[in-house]
Amino acid sequence: MVEEETQLKELISSAEIKERLLQVSRVLDEKYYGEELVILMIMKGAVCLAADLIRTLNMKLSIDYIRCSSYEGQERGDLTIIGEEYLDLENKNVLVVDDIFDSGVTMDSVVKKLKLKNPKRMESLVLLNKLIEKSTEYRPDYTLFDVEDLFVVGYGLDYNENYRELPGIYVFKNSPE
Ligand code: IMP
Ligand code: MG
């Protein structure tokens, strides 16, 4: 992976992510003081963020997940949500966690669908919010970083299932091919 990293330029370092995650975790600790939270990961992109988040929060929590997929390479396809039929969110505080809020379609659809399960409160947290015109009204409640409209990888984000393991956020110097 080191050779491939030479094609990549670091946009956000793992230290920056860690620092920002601590800030947001303290906000969440205060907001949910004395309550329990379900960390609902959108797999697979949220894996790194959720794994770090559950260890920086100071509260009673549980984790659950759904799978969403809408990309093949950099091309957008139809959104599929898998696994929501197994979730029990009735009267629970739910924090939906995703890697990136791009067009907003994924998070908007997920939140709409999961609200039908009567949670007590439902909020959303994303690692990145792309600075583009959104196709939906919905906005995430918590964002770690705003990023330019570039295709990014690392810290859970992939290009054709590669690069998820990188510790920071990277952009391709040229085309990802
Ligand atoms: P949205 O539905 O357009 O908001 O897209 C959200 C999903 O698209 C994310 O959960 C990612 O899986 C994927 N995605 C969007 N932009 C990128 C990117 O720059 N790199 C990797 N995945 C991305
Ligand atoms: Mg995703």
Side-chain angles (χ1 to χ4, degrees):
M1 192 54 70
V2 176
E3 317 84 73
E4 278 173 309
E5 277 181 53
T6 58
Q7 301 175 30
L8 302 171
K9 186 165 120 357
E10 188 181 79
L11 206 61
I12 304 169
S13 70
S14 74
E16 287 172 302
I17 296 172
K18 209 170 258 179
E19 189 186 332
R20 180 77 184 112
L21 192 55
L22 281 172
Q23 288 175 353
V24 173
S25 293
R26 295 298 77 83
V27 173
L28 288 164
D29 283 345
E30 206 162 298
K31 179 139 191 182
Y32 290 97
Y33 182 79
E35 303 210 38
E36 288 185 34
L37 190 57
V38 180
I39 305 296
L40 189 86
M41 304 175 264
I42 302 184
M43 297 302 267
K44 306 168 195 169
V47 64
C48 296
L49 177 60
D52 285 342
L53 176 70
I54 61 174
R55 291 174 291 178
T56 51
L57 289 172
N58 284 313
M59 68 178 74
K60 194 159 181 219
L61 57 82
S62 60
I63 59 175
D64 222 322
Y65 67 94
I66 50 171
R67 278 191 71 172
C68 282
S69 184
S70 59
Y71 272 75
E72 284 169 30
Q74 295 193 35
E75 296 302 315
R76 215 194 156 85
D78 289 336
L79 177 72
T80 45
I81 303 177
I82 305 162
E84 55 95 20
E85 63 272 28
Y86 303 114
L87 301 172
D88 172 17
L89 305 178
E90 182 88 32
N91 206 29
K92 293 181 180 170
N93 296 309
V94 181
L95 183 68
V96 184
V97 178
D98 201 6
D99 50 3
I100 188 163
F101 191 79
D102 185 9
S103 68
V105 169
T106 302
M107 191 59 97
D108 184 52
S109 316
V110 166
V111 165
K112 270 193 190 125
K113 214 159 197 187
L114 298 185
K115 276 190 173 163
L116 299 174
K117 292 177 177 283
N118 301 317
K120 182 172 170 191
R121 174 189 274 162
M122 179 163 296
E123 292 195 300
S124 59
L125 179 153
V126 293
L127 173 67
L128 305 172
N129 187 355
K130 258 190 208 176
L131 296 168
I132 59 163
E133 210 168 297
K134 305 298 181 190
S135 55
T136 64
E137 293 278 299
Y138 184 82
R139 295 292 178 272
D141 297 287
Y142 310 93
T143 297
L144 269 61
F145 302 96
D146 289 320
V147 285
E148 299 298 319
D149 185 15
L150 298 165
F151 196 82
V152 292
V153 294
Y155 199 72
L157 290 141
D158 75 306
Y159 173 68
N160 282 345
E161 295 301 325
N162 293 312
Y163 308 110
R164 292 194 199 273
E165 72 280 14
L166 298 179
I169 309 294
Y170 298 80
V171 284
F172 291 96
K173 284 179 186 160
N174 308 107
S175 130
E177 247 48 70

